[in-house]
């Protein structure tokens, strides 16, 4: 299953809302996770089951969607949120990741 | 606190072998499936291999099947990845990751760098 993220780069000002998209080449039901990765660090799980926040993830992060279209929304960007974000489907093996969206400061 | 600590990376020539290790702590290792995910320099994430809880089944990406072997030692709380016939394109940071629901990954190690070059 091919996961396609858009846009490749998103420029947003602190305090504003960011909306990241992920599309699957076929239905993955709600078996979709989002990760955040900062330079030199391992990925961190944000969302699983398309919309469930992982332990310790702030409420400003929310996920939605099912089937083939998914969205990660960050309601009010903080300085620590600027990073690369990946979606991942785990409905079928091999699990596959999107190519990433780089969220940068505008 | 869940911790995953990888080791075993390094520089190896094409065709060579390496064994990666990942020592787990802070959870009941034998109760969870585990996986290896890699990231080539400047690139995205690629799932490599996974093993079910208690080691009953193993799965591999097509790119490594027949060359890599995943295993677990429950007496040592350690996950392994034996990598043979290494290729230049296997160069990456290799992460071990604990599997949450389905095959999403809730905890990751810090990664170990494998460089395949002559």
């Amino acid at each position: 299953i091919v996961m396609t993220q858009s846009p490749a780069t998103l420029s947003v000002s602190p305090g504003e809302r960011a909306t990241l998209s992920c599309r699957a080449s076929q239905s993955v039901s709600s078996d979709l996770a989002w990760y955040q990765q900062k330079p030199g660090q391992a990925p961190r799980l944000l969302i699983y089951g398309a919309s469930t926040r992982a332990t310790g993830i702030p409420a400003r992060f929310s996920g939605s969607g099912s089937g083939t279209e998914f969205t990660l929304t960050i309601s009010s960007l903080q300085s620590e949120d600027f990073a690369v974000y990946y979606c991942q489907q785990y409905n079928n093996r091999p699990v596959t990741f999107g190519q990433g969206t780089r969220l940068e400061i505008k | 606190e869940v911790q995953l600590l990888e080791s075993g990376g390094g520089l190896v020539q094409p065709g060579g072998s390496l064994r990666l290790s990942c020592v787990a702590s802070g959870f009941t290792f034998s109760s969870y499936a585990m996986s290896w995910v890699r990231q080539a320099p400047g690139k995205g994430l690629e799932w490599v291999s996974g093993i079910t809880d208690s080691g009953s089944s193993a799965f591999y990406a097509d790119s490594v099947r027949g060359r890599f072997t995943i295993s677990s030692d429950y007496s040592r709380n350690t996950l392994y990845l034996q990598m043979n016939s290494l290729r230049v394109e296997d160069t990456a940071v290799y992460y071990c990751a604990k599997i949450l629901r389905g095959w999403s990954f809730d905890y990751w190690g810090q990664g170990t760098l494998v460089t395949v070059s002559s």
Side-chain angles (χ1 to χ4, degrees):
Chain A
I1 297 176
V2 177
M3 306 302 292
T4 303
Q5 292 185 240
S6 61
T9 303
L10 182 62
S11 298
V12 182
S13 300
E16 293 189 340
R17 174 189 298 258
T19 302
L20 289 67
S21 297
C22 176
R23 173 176 293 179
S25 60
Q26 65 187 70
S27 177
V28 298
S29 186
S30 295
D31 297 332
L32 191 286
W34 289 95
Y35 301 86
Q36 176 193 69
Q37 187 178 34
K38 297 179 180 179
Q41 296 185 15
R44 177 174 71 144
L45 178 66
L46 300 174
I47 301 285
Y48 63 94
S51 61
T52 303
R53 277 190 302 277
T55 303
I57 302 303
R60 65 180 181 273
F61 292 90
S62 63
S64 62
S66 65
T68 62
E69 301 283 344
F70 300 89
T71 300
L72 174 69
T73 301
I74 311 172
S75 60
S76 178
L77 279 165
Q78 307 296 304
S79 58
E80 62 266 30
D81 300 334
F82 292 95
V84 178
Y85 291 82
Y86 294 95
C87 63
Q88 176 227 343
Q89 69 80 19
Y90 51 93
N91 184 259
N92 280 43
R93 271 191 296 268
V95 302
T96 46
F97 294 87
Q99 81 282 12
T101 290
R102 180 177 305 277
L103 181 57
E104 62 177 29
I105 300 174
K106 185 174 183 180
Chain B
E1 178 191 6
V2 171
Q3 290 193 333
L4 300 170
L5 185 61
E6 302 100 333
S7 61
L11 175 63
V12 61
Q13 292 188 335
S17 298
L18 277 178
R19 188 178 79 158
L20 306 184
S21 300
C22 171
V23 178
S25 61
F27 65 102
T28 304
F29 181 64
S30 60
S31 296
Y32 290 89
M34 297 289 295
S35 198
W36 290 95
V37 178
R38 68 184 180 184
Q39 187 169 36
K43 302 297 184 183
L45 301 168
E46 180 189 16
W47 175 77
V48 173
S49 181
I51 189 167
T52 55
D53 56 304
S54 300
S56 55
S57 297
F59 304 91
Y60 299 93
D62 287 346
S63 57
V64 307
R65 186 175 293 112
R67 301 186 298 123
F68 290 11
T69 302
I70 191 172
S71 61
S72 295
D73 183 339
Y74 297 105
S75 67
R76 297 176 184 269
N77 281 359
T78 301
L79 179 72
Y80 298 103
L81 186 67
Q82 177 67 44
M83 305 186 296
N84 299 331
S85 303
L86 282 161
R87 305 168 179 168
V88 170
E89 55 265 34
D90 294 320
T91 295
V93 174
Y94 285 73
Y95 296 101
C96 72
K98 173 181 169 290
I99 288 173
L100 175 61
R101 186 164 301 175
W103 282 61
S104 61
F105 309 113
D106 59 346
Y107 290 95
W108 299 62
Q110 86 290 348
T112 187
L113 176 63
V114 172
T115 303
V116 185
S117 174
S118 55

